[in-house]
Amino acid sequence: MELRNILHERFGYTSFRKGQQEIIEDVIAGRNVVAMLPTGAGKSICYLLPGYILDGAVIIVSPLLSLMEDQVHQLQMIGEKRSVAINSFLSFEEKKRVVEDLAKYKYIFVSPEMLQNSYFMNKLRRLHVSLFVIDEAHCISQWGHEFRTDYLKLSSVMKELGSPTCLALTATATKQVLKDIVGFLKLKDVHYHLHSIDRPNISINVEKVATIDDKKRKLIEWVQRLQGPGMIYFSSRWWAEHISSLLVEAGIKGVAYYHGGMDAEQRMLIQQQFLSDQLQIICCTNAFGMGVNKPNVRYVIHFHYPTTIEAYLQEIGRAGRDGLPSIGILLHSPSDQELPEALIQQEFPSKDELEHIVATIKNNVPLHQLIKEDELLAFSTINETGWRFIKYQLEIGGWLIEGRLVKDILPEEFLRHIKTLIEKRLVYKHQKLQEMSQWMHTSTTCRRQGYLSIFDEKLTKPVPQCCDLCKVDYQLYENKGETSEIKVKDWQQELKLILIK
């Protein structure tokens, strides 16, 4: 069947967006593809449509539970029932039943961690997998080194599944990130489809304030002035909750907060209320927004700036997915530098934590016995994230195989290795932070051209509503009194209705 016919019959679109058809044609032809399309450019069509042509299952590796749920919900809304997200929203019995009946599903959404589950992989190996998709593939580089090391094991997973065609999708990636994606996935004969990261419909405004109290006042002014819906980003859970309360106290309606410390059910409810315009403003950490398909977000405000320009562009890219005028606003004060510095340091175990966990393994784990991770962490001060980082280093160094210690750890040797690695990663992360800071503090050149140059791009034509250093008519983004308040139901009842759908 002709691609445009499938596009229309299955998804209701009459034409492809820029870049989609070429990517789909390569995927159907069995070519490995790395594709960079800006946020809102319709990346999901690039793997959903081939699913109707290819014989086997499509595995989609997705970084966030909320993203998986949103993608499956959208598929079910268009009548595609052969889709499932295997995650913690499923009870033990539901998960077992789904895994036993895995062959009935065409689109299977999983986390990289789930692909390290031996029971699940045994079932998956029995399927014919025709396409292996890594959605938000920049996470391989951004998170794989320390936070979620299972991203770096995806090449082994693909090999176990018979090396199916691979499609790696992202909205923002520098040359180094693209190199990481291809390198860690061990892809051969890659076809690249790299489109501009620029979103001309999003104006950029960076505003310096003197104090944190000034920043709060300025934030309230912007929220009262701007047409929603809107998203406000914070670097900590406390700040997301605090400012959410502050906005409510200021008489602003339809406000909620969202962060990773909330129950999964609460996060799902908040996301659905925002998607259906029952909420107008989300105060969130970076746990919210990735891949969430809400076309009419009119503004994104950064109360705290992220540690990389890539993260900043991913987050403002959640505005204006419908192509209409939108704005990204970043507020910063002299005291802001401490928080991103602290966030970078928190990504790695401390010297004392490293020495303690190595000593604990050395003294308590016999050779060739399975490491009992719960007991190990109970003996140690290190958290689960820190342990995953150390565990991965033990694996690639040959000390740990399938959860068993196969050779003695020489503490000095291992600690020297891992400390050197951390130092290198810290240098890299501080360079990225400095890059973000320099862009933010520039006062002479166009901000759009500034971030495009980081991605080796140039501004090819003038953008009418560009940035605060060029020209922005802020009246275009002002509240026109069009927002209507919708009464939010009891959250338990509303969650029940969402799950029934």
Side-chain angles (χ1 to χ4, degrees), residues 47 58-65 67-68 71 84 107-115 120-121 124 129 131-140 148 150-155 157-158 161 166-169 185 290:
Y47 59 81
V58 179
I59 306 297
I60 304 102
V61 180
S62 190
L64 298 176
L65 182 151
L67 176 53
M68 291 185 215
Q71 290 167 320
V84 67
Y107 302 100
I108 303 168
F109 293 82
V110 293
S111 67
E113 289 77 19
M114 188 68 192
L115 291 169
F120 177 68
M121 280 301 296
L124 204 56
V129 177
L131 180 59
F132 192 89
V133 182
I134 300 96
D135 198 9
E136 310 291 352
H138 58 271
C139 293
I140 293 170
R148 296 177 72 175
D150 289 331
Y151 263 110
L152 306 188
K153 303 174 185 177
L154 292 178
S155 64
V157 173
M158 287 193 287
L161 298 177
C166 179
L167 170 61
L169 290 162
L185 294 177
M290 187 182 287

Side-chain angles (χ1 to χ4, degrees), residues 112-113 116 143-154 385 387-393 395:
E113 289 77 19
Q116 295 303 310
W143 292 349
H145 293 278
E146 48 274 321
F147 172 48
R148 296 177 72 175
T149 53
D150 289 331
Y151 263 110
L152 306 188
K153 303 174 185 177
L154 292 178
T385 301
W387 164 242
R388 283 201 300 265
F389 171 71
I390 293 168
K391 180 183 176 183
Y392 181 68
Q393 301 309 317
E395 289 171 340

Side-chain angles (χ1 to χ4, degrees), residues 5 33 46 57 130 193 273 339 343 365 445 493:
N5 291 340
V33 172
C46 297
S130 57
H193 293 269
Q273 288 178 335
L339 188 52
L343 290 173
V365 179
T445 58
Q493 180 63 26

